[in-house]
């Protein structure tokens, strides 16, 4: 199938729906000619039957049809229908892959409709995406933000002889790359991950001719995990990804579990593939500037009015919700505090923070203004939980009442008040509650494993091997933090990991918090432990002595985020409230011990967001 608007020419295999050719700007095909026709532009999925092995497969159609064709637009469909009456171990999902090419538009739109008719067998959905493999002889420069742009290695550089695989399988040390300027750097696709809330535009700039290839997300409503979900963007290949659903930085808790007979339908996209070009090599960077402007135009046009599916709702078929968000914490202020620049969202999740692992339905999120005002626009009609979180305050907000969104109407929510967990005044606190470990000390990278993009960068945590820097800083004894003396940004290592011993074995670590109490209030103190991420951690907390009588918290095999090895600063946010009896404390100097008791795992660990010890409000 060939679609051509005079600017862009698409060649798509029939009836499979693989995008095998993109002609634009004087380049006969932007896609990789060395890849098979099914591996250039394609949808794929990772899934499994209950308790079964993970399966990977390409998604393709068995029926081709023209959905809409006019002077202004053409939309084509490549559909595969699942028949539940035929017993098999095939993917129990119907998929309809769509491409839209519009007149005068320098690019094209892609989306898919996934559906489960009645009678489908159970299965788990782990990941689905749209991937583009671009010409390796043309596209060498990637861009994902104003600061994160660079010349990338070639795929051959990752092979033995040119690259050396490190202990993380995706991490490769470039020992003899084709481009000698990259020698000694580490390449890893996870270093270019982005939060949904911070992403939405990424791509490549090619040469000969100079062409930009950009993926634009006009909305994130169809992506799982909400605004803090992290997704891959680009990686050596050159590959450009549109990630719709995945488990990265969360783990199996975010799998979408479909029960026997459960029906479901979801529209993934449309996303926009934008193409631009210049004949002046000195203006190549302007292609990125132009792509940013195009992103704003696509966001303003959402929801689109040219999509030919009854399952994709236009603006008139959607509703909105508006209100004002406050925080009430009497230990901070006697008055209500406007929740400025907080996040407010509508999700089908019905538990506090449950939006982080919600993967079946749509989510709609906005940030409040400086006074806490917000309007959530273009919401698909339905009944939602109203969720939120506020930088500077712990925990998750969930309104007691569900929110009903109707087409063509605005739901007035009025004033909403979040009361974060707190039982008493602050004795001490470590960190800043923003759901990340950014308030902690992130070390410089070992020069042997550098990625030059992240030198002198606010994202220095993206560097490889930082877990071993803990041992470099604390070679013989573990971290000791004295409240009122030490600074978390200088003295609190960003990840509570194992320490390498003299025989190169990774040993459990015990972090000590020292604090002074002038007096003891009889009753129960509370430790608020906000965790930004955890991976295979056995965490124990003791007060003053490390024995069973002084153990106040224990959690075995906590988390499966893989944030440490994937060079992140947060994963699945969790908040724990831990009771500490006043009988365990003494007047004068006290110690709290955080024990990472798992050994032998270099990349297990806990990333702490914030810790706060609260005193009782009265004697009990």
């Amino acid at each position: 199938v060939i679609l051509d608007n005079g600017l862009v020419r698409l060649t798509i295999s029939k009836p499979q729906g693989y995008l095998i050719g993109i002609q634009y700007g004087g380049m006969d095909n932007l896609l990789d000619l060395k890849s098979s026709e099914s591996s250039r532009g394609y949808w794929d999925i990772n899934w499994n039957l209950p308790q079964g092995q993970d399966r990977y497969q390409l998604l393709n159609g068995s029926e081709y049809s023209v959905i809409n064709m006019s002077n202004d637009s053409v939309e084509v469909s490549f559909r595969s229908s699942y028949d539940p009456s035929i017993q098999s171990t095939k993917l129990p999902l119907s998929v309809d892959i769509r491409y839209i090419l519009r007149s005068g538009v320098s690019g094209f739109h892609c989306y898919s409709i996934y559906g489960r008719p009645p009678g489908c067998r159970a299965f788990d959905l782990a990941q689905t995406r749209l991937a583009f493999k671009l010409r390796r002889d043309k596209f060498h420069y990637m861009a994902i933000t104003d600061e994160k742009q660079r010349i990338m290695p070639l795929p051959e550089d990752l092979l033995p002889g040119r690259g050396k695989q490190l202990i993380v399988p995706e991490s490769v040390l470039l020992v003899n790359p084709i481009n000698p300027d990259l020698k000694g750097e580490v390449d890893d696709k996870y270093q270019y991950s982005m939060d949904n809330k911070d992403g939405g535009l990424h791509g490549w700039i090619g040469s000969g001719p100079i062409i930009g290839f950009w993926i634009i997300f006009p909305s994130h409503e169809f992506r799982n995990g909400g605004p803090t979900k992290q997704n891959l963007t680009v990686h050596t290949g050159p590959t450009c990804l549109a990630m719709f659903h995945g488990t990265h930085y969360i783990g199996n808790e975010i799998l979408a579990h479909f029960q026997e007979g459960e029906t479901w339908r979801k529209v993934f996209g449309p996303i926009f593939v934008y193409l631009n070009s210049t004949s002046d090599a000195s203006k190549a960077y302007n292609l990125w500037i132009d792509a940013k402007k195009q992103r704003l135009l696509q966001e303003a046009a959402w929801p689109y009015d040219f999509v030919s599916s009854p399952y994709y709702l236009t603006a008139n078929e959607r509703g909105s919700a508006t209100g004002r968000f406050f925080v009430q914490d009497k230990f901070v202020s006697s008055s209500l505090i406007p929740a400025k620049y907080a996040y407010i969202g509508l999700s089908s999740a019905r538990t506090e923070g449950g939006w982080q692992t919600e993967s079946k339905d749509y989510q709609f999120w906005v940030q409040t203004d400086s006074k806490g005002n917000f309007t959530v626009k273009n919401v698909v009609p339905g009944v939602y939980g109203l969720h939120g979180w506020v930088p500077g305050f712990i925990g998750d907000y969930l309104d007691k009442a569900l929110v009903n969104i109707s087409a063509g109407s605005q739901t007035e929510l009025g004033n909403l008040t979040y009361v974060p967990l707190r039982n008493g005044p602050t004795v001490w606190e470590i960190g800043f509650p923003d759901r990340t470990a950014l308030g902690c000390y992130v070390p410089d990278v070992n020069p042997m494993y550098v990625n030059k993009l992240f030198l002198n960068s606010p994202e220095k945590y993206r560097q490889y091997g930082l877990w071993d820097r803990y041992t470099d800083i604390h070679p013989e004894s573990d971290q000791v933090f004295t409240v009122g003396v030490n600074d978390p940004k200088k003295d609190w290592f960003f990840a509570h990991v194992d320490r390498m011993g003299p025989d190169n074995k990774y040993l459990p670590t015990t972090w000590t918090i020292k604090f002074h109490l002038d007096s003891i209030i009889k009753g129960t103190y509370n430790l608020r432990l906000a965790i930004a991420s955890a991976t295979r951690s056995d965490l124990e907390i003791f007060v003053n002595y490390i024995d069973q009588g002084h153990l106040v918290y224990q959690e075995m095999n906590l988390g499966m985020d893989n944030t440490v090895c994937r060079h992140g600063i947060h994963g699945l946010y969790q908040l724990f409230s831990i009771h500490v009896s006043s009988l365990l404390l003494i007047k004068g100097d006290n110690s709290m011990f955080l024990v990472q008791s798992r050994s032998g795992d270099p990349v297990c660990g806990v990333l702490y967001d914030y810790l706060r010890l609260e005193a009782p409000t009265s004697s009990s």
Side-chain angles (χ1 to χ4, degrees), residues 223-503:
R223 306 176 89 176
N224 70 330
T228 58
K229 176 68 177 70
Q230 297 168 84
N231 279 305
L232 299 173
T233 56
V234 302
H235 62 78
T236 295
T239 300
C240 205
L241 299 174
M243 299 290 299
F244 296 101
H245 180 114
T247 61
H248 295 141
Y249 298 94
I250 299 287
N252 289 340
E253 290 189 51
I254 200 172
L255 287 173
H257 302 285
F258 292 94
Q259 305 302 316
E260 194 86 17
E262 181 180 353
T263 59
W264 177 70
R265 182 182 292 112
K266 188 172 185 179
V267 179
F268 289 103
I271 58 104
F272 183 49
V273 177
Y274 180 55
L275 308 173
N276 56 9
S277 63
T278 180
S279 57
D280 186 346
S282 67
K283 296 181 179 179
Y285 181 78
N286 290 349
L287 298 183
W288 165 253
I289 303 298
D290 176 58
K292 290 201 298 180
K293 295 177 181 177
Q294 183 61 221
R295 173 191 176 180
L296 296 177
L297 293 174
Q298 294 296 319
E299 290 175 342
W302 185 270
Y304 298 134
D305 59 5
F306 52 81
V307 179
S308 301
S309 170
Y311 308 122
Y312 177 82
L313 302 187
T314 61
N316 293 335
E317 299 171 295
R318 299 180 179 221
S320 63
T322 187
R324 191 177 182 194
F325 197 25
F326 294 90
V327 177
Q328 184 180 61
D329 186 336
K330 64 182 181 180
F331 294 97
V332 175
S333 172
S334 59
S335 305
L336 288 178
I337 305 166
K340 62 180 182 180
Y341 311 125
Y343 287 84
I344 281 283
L346 296 171
S347 164
S348 62
R350 299 291 192 265
T351 59
E352 294 178 4
W355 55 269
Q356 295 180 98
T357 55
E358 204 292 304
S359 289
K360 292 182 181 179
D361 300 311
Y362 303 101
Q363 297 196 37
F364 303 88
W365 287 84
V366 294
Q367 248 187 308
T368 63
D369 65 16
S370 61
K371 297 181 179 179
N373 298 300
F374 66 90
T375 300
V376 188
K377 300 178 180 179
N378 298 316
V379 181
V380 172
V383 179
Y384 295 91
L386 179 62
H387 298 262
W389 57 277
V390 188
F393 296 90
I394 60 173
D396 282 275
Y397 171 76
L398 175 62
D399 198 70
K400 294 179 180 178
L402 297 174
V403 176
N404 200 319
I405 300 295
S406 302
S409 66
Q410 180 167 280
T411 301
E412 301 290 341
L413 299 175
N415 291 341
L416 307 168
T417 302
Y418 173 45
V419 183
L421 281 174
R422 185 191 276 276
N423 287 89
T426 300
V427 178
W428 53 258
E429 60 184 349
I430 298 172
F432 177 79
D434 64 356
R435 308 172 82 92
T436 79
L438 281 170
C440 304
Y441 172 69
V442 179
D444 291 333
V445 63
N446 183 327
M448 290 178 59
Y449 302 116
V450 70
N451 181 323
K452 293 179 182 177
L453 183 64
F454 300 106
L455 291 175
N456 305 312
S457 163
E459 292 188 27
K460 59 193 299 188
Y461 57 84
R462 295 288 182 193
Q463 299 280 13
Y464 174 86
L466 297 186
W467 52 87
D468 281 336
R469 298 296 281 155
Y470 176 77
T471 303
D472 296 337
I473 297 169
H474 302 282
E476 296 181 358
S477 60
D478 286 318
Q479 171 178 292
V480 178
F481 186 94
T482 302
V483 173
V485 175
N486 293 113
D487 180 354
K489 293 183 178 180
K490 298 178 181 178
D491 306 312
W492 187 277
F493 200 78
F494 80 103
H496 191 171
V497 293
D498 286 355
R499 180 164 48 85
M500 187 187 293
D503 54 357

Side-chain angles (χ1 to χ4, degrees), residues 557-613:
N557 203 30
L558 176 64
M560 45 186 167
D561 303 2
N562 283 327
T563 298
V564 174
C565 71
R566 288 176 175 168
H567 329 296
I569 201 68
H570 72 88
L572 178 64
Y573 176 82
Q574 300 181 72
L575 176 63
F576 299 97
S577 294
I578 300 163
H579 297 315
V580 179
S581 170
S582 59
L583 298 175
L584 299 177
L585 298 167
I586 59 174
K587 182 179 179 180
D589 294 331
N590 291 261
S591 294
M592 183 174 290
F593 304 101
L594 310 182
V595 181
Q596 162 64 271
S597 57
R598 176 166 294 200
S599 62
D601 188 341
V603 291
C604 71
V606 177
L607 278 64
Y608 301 104
D609 167 39
Y610 176 74
L611 298 91
R612 182 174 72 215
L613 184 65

Side-chain angles (χ1 to χ4, degrees), residues 534-561:
T535 302
R536 297 183 303 276
S537 295
D538 296 339
L539 181 61
E540 299 171 314
I541 301 178
F542 300 86
V543 175
N544 281 326
Y545 296 94
I546 300 179
D547 59 34
Q548 280 301 115
H550 293 79
L551 176 68
V552 296
Y553 175 79
Q554 183 179 51
E555 186 79 29
M556 309 305 286
N557 203 30
L558 176 64
M560 45 186 167
D561 303 2

